[in-house]
């Protein structure tokens, strides 16, 4: 990787005691420095994170209250900037993502350090049927908001951010709406988007698979976010918004 690029991993976690240790170990095969943000997890999760604290180059930050995945990622990004990292690899703590693909993401970030490298999820048969329709709807909304298929799928939490650019766009979402919103705002800000296909699997509960998606709360937040972004994109296209249109 280029000498100008200094990368850490940011892993948001909320009650993933069965998977967090393995995910951190696999990530550290490719990225030495890891920032884990515990989003107000319960006792079992905290004990699992205490064991990780003993590992070199692994920093665990405990948020007092659960604020949502987006809030946890923001905490990780701010910490990364304070520690002097230029780029942050974001990956979920639930074991869904193919950590073997991390070198592909890092290679793209090294080749184009100004770009955001976003995972394009390739789902297998473990994906719940109901999720497919929701994914398709969000992808269509993002197509409208960006005016093209610049972002193949904004919902995958496996990506590499240029830290300064990610913080500068000011994504407002704090929960499951964050991944979508920040991808759109990065595109609006002129940050190049590199889409990288990567496998995604849903683990059974016995193996630590868990979903913190709350259908009512999170769907309302995502719907409101889409309305805001679409309204803003329309204003830009009409020349009525104060900021430069994409």
């Amino acid at each position: 990787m280029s000498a100008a690029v200094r990368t850490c991993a940011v892993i948001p976690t909320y009650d993933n005691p069965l998977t967090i240790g393995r995910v951190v170990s696999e990530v550290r095969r490719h990225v030495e420095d890891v920032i884990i943000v515990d989003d107000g997890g319960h006792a079992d999760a905290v004990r699992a994170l205490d064991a990780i604290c003993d590992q070199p180059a692994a920093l665990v930050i405990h948020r007092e209250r659960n604020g949502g995945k987006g809030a946890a990622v923001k905490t990780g990004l701010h910490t990364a900037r304070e520690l002097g990292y230029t780029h942050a690899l974001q990956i979920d703590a639930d074991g869904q993502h193919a950590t073997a693909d991390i070198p592909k993401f890092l290679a793209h970030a090294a080749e184009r350090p100004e770009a955001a490298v976003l995972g394009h999820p390739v789902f297998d048969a473990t994906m719940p049927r109901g999720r497919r329709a929701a994914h398709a709807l969000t992808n269509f909304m993002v197509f409208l908001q960006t005016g093209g298929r610049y972002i193949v799928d904004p919902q995958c939490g496996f990506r590499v951010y240029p830290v300064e650019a990610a913080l500068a766009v000011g994504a407002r979402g704090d929960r499951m709406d964050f991944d979508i919103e920040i991808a759109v705002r990065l595109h609006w800000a002129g940050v190049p988007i590199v889409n990288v296909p990567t496998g995604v699997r849903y683990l059974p509960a016995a193996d630590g698979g868990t979903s913190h998606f709350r259908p009512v709360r999170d769907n309302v937040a995502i719907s409101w976010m889409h309305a805001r972004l679409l309204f803003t994109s329309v204003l830009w296209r009409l020349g009525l918004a104060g900021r430069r249109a994409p």
Side-chain angles (χ1 to χ4, degrees), residues 10-40:
V10 170
I11 305 178
T13 180
Y14 176 62
D15 286 347
N16 301 113
L18 298 182
T19 56
I20 183 63
R22 174 170 52 82
V23 170
V24 170
S25 295
E26 292 177 1
V27 168
R28 292 195 67 236
R29 294 175 188 171
H30 311 287
V31 181
E32 182 177 359
D33 300 324
V34 178
I35 299 170
I36 304 133
V37 183
D38 166 36
D39 192 28

Side-chain angles (χ1 to χ4, degrees), residues 128-190:
R129 185 174 299 176
R131 295 282 183 90
R132 296 185 185 274
H135 257 76
L137 178 59
T138 282
N139 291 343
F140 175 69
M141 293 299 296
V142 168
F143 174 86
L144 296 178
Q145 291 152 10
T146 59
R149 200 163 184 257
Y150 302 102
I151 301 168
V152 176
D153 190 319
Q155 299 163 88
C156 183
F158 189 7
R159 49 185 59 176
V160 179
Y161 296 116
V163 172
E164 286 293 343
L167 290 172
V169 298
R172 293 165 55 180
D174 281 337
R175 295 190 179 275
M176 298 299 184
D177 50 343
F178 171 80
D179 286 338
I180 305 165
E181 181 184 1
I182 194 172
V184 172
R185 291 193 179 278
L186 284 166
H187 171 74
W188 283 356

Side-chain angles (χ1 to χ4, degrees), residues 84-221:
Y85 295 101
T86 62
H87 288 71
L89 171 84
Q90 175 190 326
I91 190 168
D92 289 350
D94 56 8
Q96 287 187 2
H97 297 143
T99 54
D101 286 342
I102 290 176
K104 291 195 303 184
F105 285 75
L106 298 180
H108 283 292
E111 182 179 353
R112 300 188 65 188
E114 77 283 7
V117 182
L118 306 184
H120 165 208
V122 179
F123 297 106
D124 62 13
T126 63
M127 183 186 189
R129 185 174 299 176
R131 295 282 183 90
R132 296 185 185 274
H135 257 76
L137 178 59
T138 282
N139 291 343
F140 175 69
M141 293 299 296
V142 168
F143 174 86
L144 296 178
Q145 291 152 10
T146 59
R149 200 163 184 257
Y150 302 102
I151 301 168
V152 176
D153 190 319
Q155 299 163 88
C156 183
F158 189 7
R159 49 185 59 176
V160 179
Y161 296 116
V163 172
E164 286 293 343
L167 290 172
V169 298
R172 293 165 55 180
D174 281 337
R175 295 190 179 275
M176 298 299 184
D177 50 343
F178 171 80
D179 286 338
I180 305 165
E181 181 184 1
I182 194 172
V184 172
R185 291 193 179 278
L186 284 166
H187 171 74
W188 283 356
V191 176
I193 303 295
V194 177
N195 298 286
V196 179
T198 183
V200 175
R201 58 176 180 160
Y202 287 79
L203 299 180
D207 294 333
T210 181
S211 174
H212 299 300
F213 187 88
R214 300 295 178 261
V216 175
R217 180 193 67 190
D218 290 323
N219 278 323
V220 167

